Amino acid sequence: GSGSIDLKVSYFKGISSLIEGGSLLAIKGLDGDIKYNVGHARSDENIHLFWEDNRASKKIYANQLNSGLLSHNNGKQVTFSDNSSTEIDLSSPVVEFSDDGIYVATFDATGSTKEIRINKVNYGLENIWSQDGIPLNAQVDQRNVFLVSLGINGVGCFYSEAREFDFDIFYQRIDVDGLLQLSTNEPIISYVNPTNPFDLIDDFFQEVILTPDGDLLIFWVEEGFGISRIKYNKISISGEIINGWPLNGYYLTNQNVRAYNLEVKKIPNDDAVLAVWNQDGNFRDIYSQKIGWDGQIHWNTNGSPICVENNDQSSFSFDIDINGSTAFIAWEDFINGFDYNVLGKNLYLNVGPNDV
């Protein structure tokens, strides 16, 4: 509209925009300079926007949309350390919204190692901690960061480091005052083959769910020799494996098939979560599993198929109704081999995919 590529913002009630004219101009002339943009609604008319701004050496900017008005012209810078983000080495920035503020993870490569820094910003877009962020004390390059809000206990940070040739998963907790709470000398997830110590397996974090008893249900991918297997376990907010859970976690997926693109959501009014992922099979298929807070699976071992038709099933998205009885899953499907269509399926959570 301006003769350049602009970033515009709108929000809707049903199919009708609540903004006069249909949209607001958030940033003019971004032309590929804006990446990783995310939004969060605190209320119907109070939206917070975060993005990486490459015009400012990859700093994180933010804006607030309140009652149809933006708080800052072209946004406000909220991080000030270096941000050497790239998808190639899994060092993309991450934003986690919580009740008491917004946590932002970026990657600083100005030193000898690429190090994660954590900022905390209030909903007025002011830094609560140091504007340069709290460093996670890297020994070697850090990768693949995930954040989870722990409420009054601060924020949990999961990430990978290759201290012993392959990538292991480490965990750190930062309290509400911005102080590191744990030693990060030992990984919480590491793979060692007792018969072949040179069998290198990289571990990368995938998902984390805060459990009703205040612990963390964690999911990661164990990757080696072209096979990526998804596993899960339960830990405390101090990073200790919960009693009764296996030291090396449970396998969620077939150990001999490549699995990826995991998403996990809590099931309302049920003591379980729903996990959905892609895995190789008839090209790219979609599988699912219902997992109880005790770690026990409810459906088929290695998951129950959502769709295993010809060609790729990709870019899936799902949500669960407020009663926790039904999920609706939609995906892009190349089933006919000529063009992509969007397909969908109801998943009745009390019986599983095979009974639909």
Side-chain angles (χ1 to χ4, degrees), residues 70-223:
L70 287 165
S71 60
H72 295 85
N73 182 31
N74 274 1
K76 178 181 180 182
Q77 185 176 344
V78 295
T79 66
F80 293 83
S81 65
D82 175 65
N83 178 24
S84 299
S85 67
T86 173
E87 295 94 342
I88 296 174
D89 67 358
L90 301 178
S91 61
S92 302
V94 172
V95 180
E96 169 76 0
F97 297 92
S98 70
D99 290 340
D100 65 334
I102 304 136
Y103 298 100
V104 183
T106 55
F107 289 82
D108 187 339
T110 54
S112 58
T113 60
K114 184 174 280 194
E115 181 174 54
I116 297 166
R117 290 178 176 267
I118 310 296
N119 287 75
K120 186 177 182 181
V121 180
N122 64 24
Y123 280 96
L125 304 183
E126 302 288 342
N127 269 279
I128 298 175
W129 301 336
S130 165
Q131 66 179 12
D132 290 328
I134 307 300
L136 294 191
N137 298 334
Q139 294 186 19
V140 294
D141 286 348
Q142 296 174 333
R143 298 287 188 269
N144 188 229
V145 63
F146 270 72
L147 303 179
V148 57
S149 172
L150 302 175
I152 61 173
N153 293 305
V155 63
C157 311
F158 296 89
Y159 58 94
S160 292
E161 275 193 45
R163 296 183 184 177
E164 300 293 336
F165 301 107
D166 54 353
F167 279 99
D168 298 320
I169 295 175
F170 293 78
Y171 170 73
Q172 180 58 266
R173 181 165 65 87
I174 306 176
D175 71 9
V176 293
D177 296 318
L179 300 176
L180 301 182
Q181 297 299 294
L182 308 172
S183 167
T184 59
N185 293 330
E186 298 294 332
I188 63 165
I189 296 169
S190 179
Y191 177 91
V192 177
N193 187 334
T195 61
N196 182 10
F198 299 102
D199 181 14
L200 300 182
I201 300 291
D202 292 325
D203 294 306
F204 295 107
F205 205 78
Q206 292 282 290
E207 287 279 3
V208 54
I209 300 288
L210 189 64
T211 68
D213 54 2
D215 294 321
L216 300 171
L217 188 62
I218 61 173
F219 297 79
W220 70 97
V221 63
E222 186 181 81
E223 193 172 87

Side-chain angles (χ1 to χ4, degrees), residues 260-278:
Y260 43 97
N261 296 338
L262 175 72
E263 290 189 27
V264 184
K265 293 185 180 182
K266 290 182 181 180
I267 301 175
N269 303 318
D270 200 337
D271 293 328
V273 300
L274 176 62
V276 181
W277 66 92
N278 281 122

